[in-house]
């Protein structure tokens, strides 16, 4: 039996009292938004939190995307949430809770909760992570302040609360350290990628149009969506949303041989480079670990292995994402195959391409691999935290409601 289990067995062996949240608060603070048309209300030195600031933070809100002035504070319904209060979202991400690391003004979609001495603020924040408060709204999900404050919260002895917070803090500190390391490694990866893939245009490696590195450049097609016989087969079918600087071994949708036969979809050999032409992922690239088919929103570069390393081409086009996206047209920066085919790529000797690709593959795996890199370790720690959090914050109700 661990220390917390011993404490529970000693101090509350039969369960703990659950109380409505409203009975556990010294203050329940609402907020508001200064008039957007008043420039003098904005860009001051008072942090002002909206729901986005809660969802982008993991534990505490210590900085916000917007600041307001004293004039904005005085001439609106926003209020200051004191440091240490629990900020809870009422809309968009209802029930999401973070702690205010400093005094912060809040908008109308947040409530700031200041607990009484019977409950430790950090304990309450952790407990919110276990709650599934029912929300309403077909488009924008929300909960009312009344529903929020009627939520029943367990009140174990303070000594138990402190020990639980201590254990869960260790998990969150470790995750924060891993996140910080991931940010540092990504910056390192981008630095080395820029160093390795920078070539002068007037000397050194020759610059070659992308299509001249390929055995073929193709697009794809979409089987008739109303025909169920064309879908859910065993042929992987790449759509633009599957492309995100990744290696594709499985796709979100498959088609059947009949669907392939009755559409413009075509097979693309393994170890090709696939670029999204339009949609939200326009100009992003991926490689395919297995042979796939694609829809018409993809440009498929089947690299000639005697001329270029497909991983080298992938890394170079990944680095040039913003430049490629700028070539697009329309509100979504849509590309076309011609612009991809004529995009020039520096071409050092094949041995040098492979050396560069090997170095960048090592960094790429470290910062992006969901099975072996830092993201995988962070995900494993997150699951471990969630398991122990739910275990530690599950209590028997001493006075179950009827």
């Amino acid at each position: 039996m661990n220390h917390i289990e011993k404490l529970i067995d000693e101090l509350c062996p039969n369960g703990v009292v659950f109380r409505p949240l409203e009975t556990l608060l010294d203050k329940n603070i609402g907020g508001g938004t200064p008039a957007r048309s008043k420039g003098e209300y904005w860009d001051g030195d008072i942090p002002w939190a909206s729901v986005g600031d809660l969802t982008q933070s993991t534990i505490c809100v210590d900085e916000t995307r917007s600041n307001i002035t004293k004039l904005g504070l005085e001439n609106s319904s926003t209020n200051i949430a004191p440091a240490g209060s629990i900020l809870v979202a009422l809309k968009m991400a209802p029930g999401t809770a973070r702690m205010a690391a400093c005094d912060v003004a809040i908008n109308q979609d947040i409530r700031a909760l200041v607990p009484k001495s019977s409950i430790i603020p950090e304990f309450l924040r952790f407990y919110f992570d276990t709650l599934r408060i029912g929300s309403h709204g077909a488009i924008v999900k929300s909960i009312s302040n009344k529903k929020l404050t009627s939520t029943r919260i367990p009140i174990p002895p303070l000594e138990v609360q402190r020990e639980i917070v201590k254990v869960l803090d260790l998990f969150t500190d470790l995750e924060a350290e891993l996140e910080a390391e991931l940010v540092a490694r990504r910056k390192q990866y981008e630095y080395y990628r820029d160093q390795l893939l920078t070539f002068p245009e007037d000397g050194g490696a020759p610059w070659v149009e992308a299509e001249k590195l390929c055995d073929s450049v193709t697009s794809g097609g979409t089987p008739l969506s109303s025909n169920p016989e064309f879908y859910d087969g065993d042929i992987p079918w790449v759509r633009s949303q599957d492309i995100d600087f990744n290696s594709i071994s499985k796709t979100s949708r498959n088609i059947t041989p009949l669907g392939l036969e009755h559409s413009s979809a075509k097979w693309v050999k393994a170890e090709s480079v696939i670029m999204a032409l339009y949609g939200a992922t326009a100009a992003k690239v991926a490689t395919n670990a297995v042979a796939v088919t694609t829809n018409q929103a993809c440009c498929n570069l089947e690299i000639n292995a005697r001329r270029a390393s497909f991983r080298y081409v992938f890394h170079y086009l990944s680095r040039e994402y913003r430049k490629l996206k700028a070539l697009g047209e329309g509100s979504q920066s849509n590309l076309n195959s011609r612009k991809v085919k004529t995009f020039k790529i520096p071409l050092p000797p094949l041995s040098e391409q492979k050396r560069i690709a090997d170095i960048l593959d090592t960094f790429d795996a470290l910062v992006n691999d969901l099975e072996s890199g830092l993201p995988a370790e962070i995900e494993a720690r997150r699951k471990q935290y969630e398991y122990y959090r739910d275990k530690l914050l599950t209590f028997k109700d001493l006075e179950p409601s009827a």
Side-chain angles (χ1 to χ4, degrees), residues 290-301:
V290 297
V292 299
T293 61
T294 76
N295 74 1
Q296 65 276 14
C298 301
C299 181
N300 312 310
L301 307 174

Side-chain angles (χ1 to χ4, degrees), residues 179-195 360 363-364 366-368 374:
E179 292 278 7
E181 184 179 354
L182 179 59
V183 169
R185 291 290 175 264
R186 281 186 171 149
K187 288 181 179 177
Q188 190 179 35
Y189 166 53
E190 290 171 2
Y191 171 80
Y192 281 107
R193 186 178 68 181
D194 287 346
Q195 292 292 310
L360 295 179
F363 277 108
D364 186 50
L366 179 64
V367 301
N368 292 318
L374 280 169

Side-chain angles (χ1 to χ4, degrees), residues 45-252:
D45 56 6
I46 300 172
W48 178 81
S50 60
V51 173
D53 296 304
L54 272 58
T55 56
Q56 290 185 1
S57 170
T58 53
I59 299 299
C60 293
V61 174
D62 52 7
E63 59 181 30
T64 55
R65 297 170 300 172
S66 299
N67 281 23
I68 61 173
T69 62
K70 186 177 179 183
L71 201 60
L73 177 66
E74 292 171 348
N75 288 277
S76 71
S77 54
T78 188
N79 289 296
I80 295 291
S85 59
I86 309 300
L87 309 181
V88 184
L90 297 181
K91 288 186 177 180
M92 292 176 284
T96 297
R98 299 291 184 261
M99 181 169 286
C102 58
D103 290 354
V104 56
I106 57 174
N107 80 353
Q108 63 277 7
D109 298 330
I110 295 174
R111 301 299 296 194
L113 311 179
V114 181
K116 292 180 178 178
S117 57
S118 58
I119 188 164
I120 297 172
E122 292 84 352
F123 175 85
L124 181 59
R125 198 214 70 77
F126 280 124
Y127 190 75
F128 263 104
D129 281 350
T130 71
L131 292 175
R132 298 293 180 269
I133 302 174
S135 58
H136 63 272
I139 299 176
V140 178
K141 298 294 183 183
S142 64
I143 56 173
S144 65
N145 182 50
K146 181 178 180 181
K147 185 163 189 174
L148 172 67
T149 56
S150 65
T151 303
R152 299 177 75 244
I153 306 292
I155 314 297
L158 288 173
E159 191 173 353
V160 173
Q161 293 184 42
R162 278 192 288 269
E163 288 302 313
I164 289 173
V165 168
K166 189 185 300 182
V167 170
L168 294 181
D169 273 344
L170 290 175
F171 281 106
T172 54
D173 286 348
L174 176 58
E175 185 178 331
E177 288 174 9
L178 289 171
E179 292 278 7
E181 184 179 354
L182 179 59
V183 169
R185 291 290 175 264
R186 281 186 171 149
K187 288 181 179 177
Q188 190 179 35
Y189 166 53
E190 290 171 2
Y191 171 80
Y192 281 107
R193 186 178 68 181
D194 287 346
Q195 292 292 310
L196 291 166
L197 294 176
T198 297
F199 301 90
E201 292 200 25
D202 56 353
W207 290 71
V208 180
E209 291 183 345
E211 68 176 333
K212 293 180 180 177
L213 307 178
C214 301
D215 288 328
S216 70
V217 180
T218 63
S219 186
T222 299
L224 188 65
S225 58
S226 59
N227 192 332
E229 293 182 349
F230 292 168
Y231 289 92
D232 300 322
D234 56 5
I235 298 175
W237 182 59
V238 176
R239 297 176 292 168
S240 58
Q241 56 261 52
D242 295 319
I243 300 171
D244 192 17
F245 306 116
N246 53 328
S247 175
I248 298 171
S249 54
K250 288 191 343 182
T251 52
S252 56

